[in-house]
Amino acid sequence: MPSHPELERLIGTAIVDGEFRASLLESPATAAAGFSLSAEELDVLSSAAGDSLEELAAHLYAWITRAPKFRRAPAIRWALESHQTARIAV
């Protein structure tokens, strides 16, 4: 899976900092200003619709698992999608 360390850091910060989390959900682009996100990451973050951190993280995960670099490994994608489906079904 492609690595997105700044997105991981952003989500990690939102998990532990309630004020940052509220800011991120209200205005993702503004909240992300302190992070070194690529233009593509910032676009995806800004387009994420959701009322909770869980919804935002799910949107980012869906994007990451469909990123072009990831598509080159269909067996891995299938395994992750099957795992995700199994977790949802439980």
Side-chain angles (χ1 to χ4, degrees):
M1 185 175 324
S3 177
H4 297 277
E6 281 299 288
L7 280 178
E8 292 174 16
R9 192 168 75 87
L10 180 134
I11 294 298
T13 301
I15 289 170
V16 299
D17 184 336
E19 188 175 316
F20 176 75
R21 179 175 47 252
S23 175
L24 180 64
L25 293 171
E26 183 176 320
S27 179
T30 302
F35 295 82
S36 298
L37 299 179
S38 70
E40 187 178 17
E41 290 170 329
L42 190 55
D43 285 346
V44 171
L45 179 65
S46 295
S47 71
D51 296 324
S52 70
L53 183 58
E54 291 82 5
E55 290 176 6
L56 176 65
H59 179 84
L60 294 173
Y61 176 78
W63 172 74
I64 289 169
T65 59
R66 288 174 179 83
K69 188 174 183 182
F70 191 74
R71 286 191 196 124
R72 293 186 194 130
I76 296 170
R77 185 177 75 224
W78 177 84
L80 284 172
E81 288 174 352
S82 297
H83 177 71
Q84 184 180 13
T85 303
R87 287 189 343 174
I88 292 170
V90 170

